[in-house]
Amino acid sequence: REAIANAVGQGYAEPTNQVFSPSSAGYHAELEEMYPYDVEAAKALMAEAGYADGFTIDMPQSGRLSEAIYAIASASMAEINITVNHQDDGADFISALLTPKYAAYFMALEQNPNDFAFIEFLLSETAVWNPAKVSDETANDLIEQIQFATDDSTRDALVSELGTYVLEQAWFAPWYRPLQVHAYN
């Protein structure tokens, strides 16, 4: 995460393992180290899953995104015997992600400050950036409760629970959070 944040963000990115922004009730600073970079632990998990010898995965690559991301990600995955075949879908890059053509991909997505808008963008069964329409009973229940919560404290507690749940289930593997830069004259 740090290598990617430094290489890609050039001082304007911070490593993270969470999809919710720090301004969200779904973000938990104390959980930032939940998944440390540990090659030996990753190899053990691969072996436990029946992939001790690794596997090959196709992942999209776009010239719109930094080459450094792909190089670092491929090198990191190679350490645990995952070979990445990068595919360039050209102008169809986004539609290939959303069909979904790939089991895994890198994409820089927003961290909307409105928790429910963000949930509908990324986590719900019908979210645009849930192209495989992954459904989970616990997450669906929390999302429904968040949608119909009548007060901010209840909603924040539910969003907090959802943020922890999504992180514990490792739904995503975020690398960094880009920082916004604004210039004006």
Side-chain angles (χ1 to χ4, degrees):
R1 287 186 198 110
E2 288 181 17
I4 291 173
N6 290 333
V8 177
Q10 300 178 6
Y12 298 100
E14 55 191 25
T16 189
N17 66 351
Q18 299 180 58
V19 294
F20 282 95
S21 87
S23 64
S24 169
Y27 175 80
H28 300 280
E30 70 278 8
L31 300 179
E32 275 293 355
E33 298 304 319
M34 180 178 258
Y35 301 109
Y37 189 79
D38 186 334
V39 174
E40 294 310 313
K43 285 181 179 179
L45 287 171
M46 291 280 288
E48 183 181 320
Y51 294 101
D53 295 329
F55 58 87
T56 299
I57 186 170
D58 290 336
M59 292 180 73
Q61 181 170 341
S62 172
R64 298 177 205 158
L65 301 171
S66 170
E67 290 286 326
I69 291 170
Y70 302 114
I72 294 168
S74 293
S76 296
M77 288 188 208
E79 290 185 61
I80 59 171
N81 299 320
I82 298 175
T83 302
V84 178
N85 287 329
H86 289 289
Q87 310 289 315
D88 188 346
D89 291 303
D92 293 329
F93 176 70
I94 299 295
S95 62
L97 301 181
L98 296 176
T99 54
K101 180 178 177 180
Y102 298 99
Y105 55 84
F106 170 80
M107 185 61 188
L109 297 173
E110 68 179 62
Q111 289 188 318
N112 193 312
N114 177 303
D115 286 329
F116 195 71
F118 180 69
I119 290 165
E120 285 298 305
F121 174 75
L122 188 65
L123 302 175
S124 77
E125 205 173 341
T126 58
V128 172
W129 286 101
N130 181 358
K133 304 302 177 210
V134 173
S135 181
D136 177 280
E137 188 175 326
T138 300
N140 291 345
D141 182 53
L142 287 167
I143 291 168
E144 183 176 350
Q145 289 181 63
I146 291 165
Q147 181 178 10
F148 295 108
T150 57
D151 63 87
D152 291 344
S153 63
T154 300
R155 185 174 19 263
D156 285 350
L158 292 164
V159 170
S160 176
E161 189 176 342
L162 180 62
T164 300
Y165 181 74
V166 167
L167 185 60
E168 288 173 345
Q169 299 302 309
W171 275 20
F172 302 93
W175 296 331
Y176 68 93
R177 176 181 305 104
L179 302 176
Q180 298 296 316
V181 178
H182 301 277
Y184 65 93
N185 182 329

